[in-house]
Structure formats: structure tokens, C-alpha cells
Amino acid sequence: MSGRTEGGAVEREPLWLALVATLVLLPTPAFAHASDRGHVLLLPTGYYIAGGALAVAVSFLVLALLPPAALDNFWRRRLPLIAFGDGPRTIVSLLSFAGFALLIAAGLFGSRDPLSNPLPLAIWTLLWTGFTLLQGVFGDLWSWLNPWYGPWRIAVRVLGLRGDEKRSPRLPKWLGFWPAFVLFFAFAWFELIDPAPDDPSRLAYAAGAYWLVGFVAMLAFGYSDWSRRGEFLTVFFSMVARFAPLQREEGHLSLCWPGAKLLAAEPLPPSGTAFLLLALSSVSFDGLSKTFFWLGLFGINPLEFPGRTVLIGIGSFGLVLTFFLLAAVFALAVLLGQRLAGDAQPFEKAAGLLVWSIVPIALAYHIAHYLTALLVDGQYALVALSDPFALGWNLFDTADMEVEAGVVAGAESAWWLWNCQAGVIIAGHVLAVLVAHGLAWRMHPKVSRAALSQLPLTFLMIAYTVFGLWLLATPTAG
């Protein structure tokens, strides 16, 4: 949702480096697509980039010296909270479906202005940005709130179909996560490349068609099978929820360390590995595609931005290229790590296990790159939801609320925002190193081999830290 908030440049002082170093020690959740920044930060990024790279490198060295038992005891700690059942889940899902249907109607019959219509704001800001953060903090809320489960339960009963518990999976096992991968790629293309992803009626048709396709697939293949491997939002959100410090098992809620559930994950098949890498690469390209550097490669003057329609071919090429480059570098890091450790385990298993360490990075990028959009467009969403059809309603007493774009404009706001974004990105990479070491110890019983296997992946994470901070600070257009 570009060009909604514009501000000025700001200088950052090196004394903030100490606070950034402190931030890297905090378990800050944050998954990934770059948002439009309301300011351009030009000077001096070197201190932050050096500090971020150093923080990731020091984390690796400290973990390499720690005995595995000490870290294992750290990850296993749980604090029991409450017990609850799944009884209201169908009702909550039906309410969510009713809200979704109302948003589709607003997209078709409401205001044509994307900042006044609640559908674009609900999907791009509240769902894709805000709800991802909630998943990373509170766990799997999507399993309750998704708009398919309730209607599917009713359809199964009305049509006399067998439920998931009474049927064998019908979705071929060899498909893996590829259906979700293809749908996620289509979603990323629509968001980042399509000329008008914010157009309310265009988005209403796309979202409505996607819900209908998913509903038919759940009737054909079963809710559990399709939602776990075919419906990309459920796959994405369930992977994000593994980072959350809240854990729900057999009706019991407990508190754990952020990222602890990632260490218990099973190795993903190649399709699942590709899905997680796409989640990160699409964010990275979102930020890269707006930079003066990227536009300059194709002879485009960033100060005379030609619009998204002209860049469809370039954008499509870049989205695919970014994914393949990240996948190739990740595969090379895992392969070199296995060679250094002298391990004969299958490459597919090692890559499928270590790719879970990508989740903290993807979360960090998601929040860092979407932060300004969440702060500003979140206010527009509150206004639009009070009057979804532009009829003068004031359902939630927020229709007359003034949007404060100043929260992301001006030198002081820009200073706080950038340091917050930089801290989140660095913290995400430090946590990724922590998780990667825990996963490596599952494959390599010897501490020395586990540490050696992580050397190439650590260098990759250091490089990605530098790249992420550069994306935040470099000038962008559009």
C-alpha cells in the first residue's frame, strides 16, 4: 500500500548502538513482507550494520561453547497456565465467516477509496500484518478464527459427508506442501506485482474466489488435510505460531520460551522447506523492489517512478529470482555444514529440519517492514470499519477519528521507528542462531560437530542481517 506516508530524512547517532546491542538479547517476535516506510534513513548505517553482524557472530561463539544439556534445559522449561476445550471453535469460526462476508460486500458496494474501504485495510493491514504478530505472540489463534472451519462443519452435517476423523487422507502424499506453495506464490504476486491489489472490488473478487476454492477443496479432501498442506494462510500461520511463547497441548495452555516449539518440529519435506523460504524471500523482494538500487539496474529513474503496471515483468522476474537465490544459498549452507561435520545424514532431512530456524527471521522481517503501515493504516482501518459502506454509519464510534500520520513522520519518530525495526531484525537473527544450534544438536551428538555444521548457516544469517538493515536504511521510491 504504497506512498501513504511520506516524511523526511534523519540522522542517527552512534551512541544508540549500545541500546541496539541490548535489544538483541530480548526475545522479540516479529514474518515478512516489506511495508512502505514513512521516512528515508540515510546516515550513518555503518554502526548498526556492524553491530548487528557482530551480535549474530558473538551469539554463535557463545552457543558453540555452551554444553548442550544447559541449553536443552533452558528450552524445556514450561509454566502451566489454564485448561480449556475446543467447544466454541465452530461458533467463533462462523462469526469470522460472517465478518468476512461483510467485508466482501463492502469491497463490492462500499467506497472505491482503499483508505476508506475496510476490505483492503482488513486484509493487508489487520490480517497480513497485525494478525501475523498476534500468531507469533499468542500461538495458533487462526485455527479458531479462520472462516472455513465453521461452514465446513455445517456442510459436512447437512450433506451427510464423513468428517476427517472417519476418513483416510485423500490429498496425495506426494503433493506435500506444493499446493500451499503455489497459492502463496500467487498471493505474493498479487500483493507485490499486481497493478491494483488495493482496489476494493478487485480484491473482493480475488478473496471471495479464494475462499470458495478452499471450501470446495476441504469438502473434497477433508478439512484437516487441505488446511495443513493446501491452504497457504493456515500453513503460514501454523508455522508462525510455533514461535509463540504460548503453547496449547491437549486443552492445556502453558508458557514457554519464544521459539522453543521450533526445536520439537519434525523435518519438513522439500515442499515445506520451499514454502518457508518463499515466505522470507517474498519479504526481501518487497523491500528490494522499491530501492533506488533495484530500479537503477533496469534503467528506471526512481525519482520519476513509472507505476506498478510498467514494472510487472521486472517484478515477476525479481520475485522468482529472489526465491531461487535464497533457496540456492540456503541449500549450499546446509550442504557445506554437513560436509564440515562429516555427517552422512540425508541432505533432505538436514535442510528440512534447519529451515525451521528461518521462522524467527521471517517474523522479524514481517514486523520490521510492515511497522509503519500497521501504525498508520491501522488507524484508517478503525475509521473504515465503523462505516463499511460509506453510508455515514458510526458503528464503533471511530468513524470521526482523526488519523495521526505524525506517528511515523518527523525526525524523532523516524529515530525511534528505525531503531525499533533494526533491533527486531537483529533479535530475529540472534534467535535464529539459537534455534539452529538446538536443531543441529538433534542431528549431531558431538558438540564440536554441531558447531561446525552451523558455521556456513551462521555466515548466511550474518549476511542477511546486513542485507535487512541495508533495506531499512536505503532510499526507496514508489
Side-chain angles (χ1 to χ4, degrees), residues 351-363:
L353 190 61
L354 291 174
V355 76
W356 285 111
S357 64
I358 293 292
V359 171
I361 299 176
L363 280 166

Side-chain angles (χ1 to χ4, degrees), residues 91-391:
I91 297 175
V92 173
S93 177
L94 287 172
L95 292 174
S96 176
F97 171 71
F100 174 74
L102 181 65
L103 288 172
I104 294 296
L108 294 173
F109 307 112
S111 170
R112 299 298 88 199
D113 180 7
L115 290 179
S116 300
N117 192 297
L119 178 63
L121 294 164
I123 290 182
W124 299 126
T125 303
L126 300 184
L127 176 66
W128 189 239
T129 303
F131 193 77
T132 300
L133 173 60
L134 294 179
Q135 283 281 116
V137 174
F138 297 107
D140 194 11
L141 301 175
W142 180 249
S143 63
W144 285 57
L145 288 173
N146 84 74
W148 285 283
Y149 180 74
W152 174 82
R153 287 291 300 269
I154 292 177
V156 166
R157 180 164 298 184
V158 171
L159 299 176
L161 301 176
R162 291 182 298 169
D164 286 349
E165 68 280 358
K166 300 177 182 178
R167 68 195 302 177
S168 58
R170 292 187 179 182
L171 192 64
K173 187 175 181 181
W174 59 266
L175 276 176
F177 291 87
W178 289 121
F181 176 90
V182 171
L183 291 171
F184 192 11
F185 184 87
F187 171 83
W189 189 94
F190 182 75
E191 181 199 6
L192 305 179
I193 313 300
D194 187 86
D198 289 348
D199 179 72
S201 61
R202 188 183 183 90
L203 184 58
Y205 284 118
Y210 180 71
W211 184 92
L212 185 60
V213 168
F215 185 67
V216 171
M218 288 171 186
L219 293 178
F221 303 112
Y223 175 83
S224 296
D225 220 25
W226 182 255
S227 62
R228 289 172 183 169
R229 295 193 287 141
E231 202 286 292
F232 83 90
L233 282 173
T234 302
V235 175
F236 176 81
F237 284 139
S238 65
M239 290 178 172
V240 171
R242 283 187 172 273
F243 178 83
L246 288 175
Q247 181 176 9
R248 180 167 61 92
E249 285 184 342
E250 299 179 354
H252 293 275
L253 193 67
S254 59
L255 194 64
C256 62
W257 293 109
K261 290 177 288 185
L262 294 170
L263 297 179
E266 293 298 320
L268 288 170
S271 55
T273 301
F275 184 93
L276 263 178
L277 292 173
L278 177 62
L280 179 57
S281 67
S282 58
V283 178
S284 302
F285 178 69
D286 191 4
L288 178 64
S289 64
K290 300 179 180 70
T291 63
F292 285 19
F293 168 77
W294 173 262
L295 296 173
L297 291 178
F298 301 94
I300 297 172
N301 183 354
L303 300 180
E304 297 178 359
F305 190 71
R308 292 170 64 121
T309 303
V310 178
L311 302 178
I312 289 178
I314 295 172
S316 301
F317 166 75
L319 184 61
V320 173
L321 178 65
T322 307
F323 167 73
F324 278 108
L325 284 177
L326 178 60
V329 174
F330 175 78
L332 181 61
V334 173
L335 186 61
L336 289 176
Q338 294 296 97
R339 293 288 180 87
L340 287 174
D343 190 76
Q345 292 194 36
F347 166 79
E348 179 181 317
K349 177 183 176 182
L353 190 61
L354 291 174
V355 76
W356 285 111
S357 64
I358 293 292
V359 171
I361 299 176
L363 280 166
Y365 272 76
H366 195 95
I367 297 306
H369 290 283
Y370 271 143
L371 183 58
T372 55
L374 182 62
L375 291 174
V376 177
D377 291 348
Q379 298 178 66
Y380 280 108
L382 292 177
V383 175
L385 287 170
S386 264
D387 188 13
F389 297 98
L391 297 176

